[in-house]
Amino acid sequence: MARFFQYHHDHQHQKRKRELMADSFFAYLDAVNGDPKQMFVLQVRFGLDLAMSQVDGIDNLVASRIVLKTSLENSRALASAFDSTGQRLEGMKQRLPSLEAAVRHVPWQKCTFVAIREHIDRAFGPAAAVLKVYDIIQELQKSLLSHPCSDLSTYLLMVKQLEESLIFLADNCGLAIQWLEAILEFLEDNAVHDDLYILNVNKSLSILQELQATDKHARLGGGILCAAVDKLEIEFKQILVENSICVVLDSFSSSIRNQASIAPSPLPVAVIQKLQAIVERLDADNRLEKCISTYVEARCLNTMRSFQALDLDYLNQSFNEFDDVQDVECYVDQWCKHLQLAVKQVFETEYKLCSDVFEKNGPEARMDCFAKIVTQSGILSFLRFGKKITECKNDPVKLMKLLDIFAMLDNLRVDFNRLFGGSACIEIQTMTRDLLKGVVNGACEIFWELPIQVELQRRSSPPLDGSVPRLVSFVTDYCNHLLGDDYRALLTQILTIQHSWKQEKCQEELVTNQIYYIIKQIGLNLDAWSKAHYDLTLSYLFMTNNHCHFCSLKGTNLGGLMGDSWLKAHEQYRDYYMTLYLRESWGKIFASLSQKSRILSSPTRGFVGDLVKKRLKSFNEEFDHMYQKQSNWVVPCEDLRLKMCKLVVQAYVPVYRSYLQDYGFLAEADASPSRHVKYTTQGLEAMLSSLFQPKLSKSGGTKHNRLIGKIKDMVTDNFRLALMAV
């Protein structure tokens, strides 16, 4: 048992020793770094060490023998490998001089071509793309020979594809040209003189440069892309012409002032979409200005045809024809209606259409196009005509016309700001401001001058027929119009605007105070005119007529302003002067017939007969004279005329009848009684009842009827001249 443990211990010891030696052997291998000779020496040494360590046992000797044998075989193999390697190295050493000589004879440029192979490969890709896209361009060119009207959407798509293909062609040509130029530069830098190769490269460059210019040539006149875009321009104009429908204008519409924008839908949606597509394509090709020009030309022709129904020749009349508003009064009314029609229907339509067609081109393009259309269509002519009216001579009727113009401009204010508010419409804005300024200042100037103009007429003569002076009729009716719902608000607004320009505060009573002052001047004129009548009776009739005229203002705007007390005062004055008139005229004539006492106290019948005849003769003469004189006098108010005639008949015809009943038999005893009893009671009554009738004019109306109603029917030439500038 002890021997077994001893053997086991020795065996383990030997095993551990061999492992240590093996580790040392591998460490030596690492140290010699694979050198065969060093490895052989190490193996021999390792084998001897191992043999010495195992000399104590037979097993150890056997193992040593095997190791030594293996080492010897490895040494022989290594020695043989060393011998063969040395021979190969020696052979290589002998061949190196000849290889060096052979390399020297290889052309240097062959190596250069290898160096530029990368450049050639990079140029090949763009060149191949050029060939493919050029074929596509040729196919598109054939397709674009057709007309766009056949299929507009397809044609537009092909034009877009053509443009993109041309750009792609130019870009790829540019890339290929860059690589070929780099090749030439490399060859020049390395002094390569292969003429054929350089010639081919230059030829390729020339072809690519020519293809690169295809895009430029296609956009020039006669080029494929230019021709296609030209066809689109023609189609654009054709669509506009085919779909141009004149706007039907109604110049007799009575409600234009209160109408909103009533422009119809300009064009069908499908047509607008076609126009939009063409505009977008033309804009991409820098043809937007030409497109706008074509559009403006076509739409201007359409608007001018629409305006032909209005007969606007009066807009171009010379300024000398407008010295007096009365001469062009009817044109002013037409102008107000026509301008509203132009803005609310024609220009509104063009604005909508411009916004639709050029929707994708930005507001600047839309407004520029619209401004050109309205300018060429005559908006400036409208504004110039209005400015001419403001420059006419001051006239009361001109004030009314200026108020009409202001009302129209105020009604169009929102439309003007919306349609003509852009920078492209600066000229329209400037002329509109000038027109508005002329209207406001002109209206205010005339309004403030009215009392002065009335006062200036004080030196004129009153009417010889005792009627109401034209000035009184005009001014009162004129003030009634100014106090109407429309004109009063407009006049107040105008006065407020002018005060704001002067940075002054406008009082609300300005209009009413001015009307009070005007009526006061009329009253002063009447007092002066009544004294100008040398015939006292006519003066009384004159005052009766005028006070009656003021009484008739009850229920009117002016009557409401002046008040009931003012109206009642004129009623009292009317009755007062009427009483004076009756007493001083017919009262004195018939007074002689009422003197019965002197006739009854006469002593003889013959004397009485002579006295009766004498009185009748005197009465006839005075009556004839008074009737002849008053037959030219007028009482315009029919009610007053009937009342006065009735009073005369009731007051004095009974006196005449009674006188004839009492003394008529004495006159009839004469051989020719008709010489003394000239008028019967019925005849006298008929004559007195026919007094104060207005004289009929040649047209069949009364000469004063034209003073009633509209201002233009009231003002005659003499009065118009009288109320002009001082």
Side-chain angles (χ1 to χ4, degrees), residues 394-458:
N394 283 348
D395 183 295
V397 176
K398 179 182 175 182
L399 174 58
M400 295 293 185
K401 296 296 116 181
L402 292 178
L403 292 176
D404 290 338
I405 293 174
F406 180 81
M408 181 269 301
L409 292 176
D410 189 57
N411 180 52
L412 295 177
R413 177 169 51 86
V414 175
D415 298 286
F416 264 67
N417 291 338
R418 179 172 52 86
L419 298 179
F420 312 121
S423 59
C425 299
I426 290 295
E427 186 176 7
I428 298 175
Q429 297 169 18
T430 302
M431 293 188 67
T432 303
R433 284 194 294 267
D434 291 342
L435 172 58
L436 182 61
K437 184 177 180 180
V439 169
V440 171
N441 291 334
C444 291
E445 181 180 358
I446 296 174
F447 182 66
W448 295 125
E449 285 182 355
L450 283 176
I452 301 173
Q453 303 302 331
V454 172
E455 182 182 359
L456 289 174
Q457 302 309 305
R458 197 167 299 165

Side-chain angles (χ1 to χ4, degrees), residues 337-355:
K337 293 181 181 179
H338 292 167
L339 182 56
Q340 291 183 87
L341 287 169
V343 172
K344 289 184 175 291
Q345 294 187 18
V346 178
F347 296 146
E348 179 69 29
T349 298
E350 297 305 324
Y351 181 82
K352 288 181 179 179
L353 190 57
C354 281
S355 299

Side-chain angles (χ1 to χ4, degrees), residues 624-676:
D624 289 343
H625 175 72
M626 182 64 70
Y627 183 82
Q628 183 64 32
K629 180 174 63 174
Q630 293 197 22
S631 63
N632 293 321
W633 294 357
V634 173
V635 176
C637 178
E638 184 177 1
D639 292 339
L640 178 63
R641 181 171 66 249
L642 294 176
K643 181 178 180 180
M644 291 181 66
C645 291
K646 184 177 180 180
L647 288 174
V648 172
V649 170
Q650 290 177 347
Y652 302 115
V653 170
V655 175
Y656 184 74
R657 182 185 298 111
S658 176
Y659 188 86
L660 290 182
Q661 289 175 353
D662 293 341
Y663 306 105
F665 67 94
L666 296 176
E668 292 175 356
D670 193 91
S672 54
S674 60
R675 291 189 310 168
H676 307 294

Side-chain angles (χ1 to χ4, degrees), residues 547-563:
H547 285 295
C548 180
H549 175 74
F550 289 122
C551 292
S552 67
L553 296 175
K554 185 176 183 179
T556 64
N557 296 321
L558 181 58
L561 175 67
M562 302 306 296

Side-chain angles (χ1 to χ4, degrees), residues 75-181:
S75 297
R76 293 189 187 98
L78 288 172
S80 176
F82 286 146
D83 292 340
S84 61
T85 302
Q87 293 176 1
R88 287 198 299 272
L89 290 175
E90 186 65 28
M92 291 174 63
K93 182 178 179 181
Q94 294 175 1
R95 290 195 299 272
L96 281 176
S98 60
L99 181 61
E100 182 179 1
V103 170
R104 288 197 189 100
H105 294 290
V106 176
W108 181 81
Q109 56 265 35
K110 300 292 183 180
C111 297
T112 303
F113 293 152
V114 173
I116 64 175
R117 179 177 180 180
E118 181 180 357
H119 294 281
I120 297 174
D121 291 340
R122 292 179 179 178
F124 181 77
V130 165
L131 295 176
K132 292 181 180 179
V133 76
Y134 187 75
D135 292 337
I136 295 174
I137 291 174
Q138 294 296 317
E139 293 297 326
L140 289 173
Q141 183 175 5
K142 296 177 182 178
S143 301
L144 289 174
L145 294 176
S146 62
H147 199 275
C149 65
S150 57
D151 189 348
L152 180 60
S153 59
T154 302
Y155 194 88
L156 288 170
L157 179 61
M158 288 191 297
V159 172
K160 182 179 180 180
Q161 291 175 346
L162 174 62
E163 187 172 23
E164 293 174 349
S165 299
L166 289 171
I167 295 174
F168 186 79
L169 176 66
D171 292 342
N172 281 274
C173 285
L175 290 174
I177 288 172
Q178 290 178 9
W179 290 115
L180 289 180
E181 288 177 345

Side-chain angles (χ1 to χ4, degrees), residues 224-413:
I224 175 177
L225 187 59
C226 179
V229 176
D230 288 343
K231 290 182 179 181
L232 288 176
E233 287 183 348
I234 296 173
E235 179 65 13
F236 182 77
K237 184 175 183 179
Q238 187 65 27
I239 293 175
L240 287 172
V241 172
E242 291 176 353
N243 293 275
S244 294
I245 302 176
C246 297
V247 179
V248 179
L249 302 176
D250 180 12
S251 60
F252 300 100
S253 176
S254 59
S255 59
I256 289 179
R257 176 175 297 183
N258 298 320
Q259 288 177 354
S261 298
I262 54 178
S265 179
L267 292 177
V269 176
V271 174
I272 293 177
Q273 290 175 346
K274 287 183 179 180
L275 295 174
Q276 286 178 338
I278 296 177
V279 170
E280 185 178 5
R281 183 71 263 154
L282 294 177
D283 188 14
D285 290 288
N286 298 321
R287 295 279 194 102
L288 184 60
E289 286 297 326
K290 180 67 179 300
C291 177
I292 291 177
S293 177
T294 301
Y295 181 89
V296 170
E297 180 182 358
R299 294 307 301 175
C300 280
L301 291 175
N302 190 69
T303 56
M304 295 307 293
R305 286 196 296 268
S306 299
F307 284 144
Q308 286 178 357
L310 300 181
D311 189 14
L312 301 177
D313 292 340
Y314 66 89
L315 294 177
N316 299 319
Q317 295 188 29
S318 62
F319 178 79
N320 293 333
E321 299 178 49
F322 295 95
D323 288 344
D324 195 333
V325 173
Q326 293 292 322
D327 297 337
V328 293
E329 186 178 354
C330 61
Y331 290 146
V332 177
D333 296 335
Q334 289 182 3
W335 176 77
C336 290
K337 293 181 181 179
H338 292 167
L339 182 56
Q340 291 183 87
L341 287 169
V343 172
K344 289 184 175 291
Q345 294 187 18
V346 178
F347 296 146
E348 179 69 29
T349 298
E350 297 305 324
Y351 181 82
K352 288 181 179 179
L353 190 57
C354 281
S355 299
D356 291 338
V357 174
F358 297 95
E359 179 183 5
K360 300 178 181 179
N361 303 96
E364 185 176 350
R366 297 198 301 267
M367 289 307 301
D368 180 59
C369 183
F370 174 70
K372 290 178 180 178
I373 291 174
V374 296
T375 301
Q376 297 181 23
S377 297
I379 183 65
L380 300 182
S381 297
F382 276 103
L383 298 176
R384 290 192 192 100
F385 179 87
K387 193 67 170 63
K388 290 177 183 178
I389 298 301
T390 64
E391 296 169 351
C392 291
K393 295 178 180 178
N394 283 348
D395 183 295
V397 176
K398 179 182 175 182
L399 174 58
M400 295 293 185
K401 296 296 116 181
L402 292 178
L403 292 176
D404 290 338
I405 293 174
F406 180 81
M408 181 269 301
L409 292 176
D410 189 57
N411 180 52
L412 295 177
R413 177 169 51 86

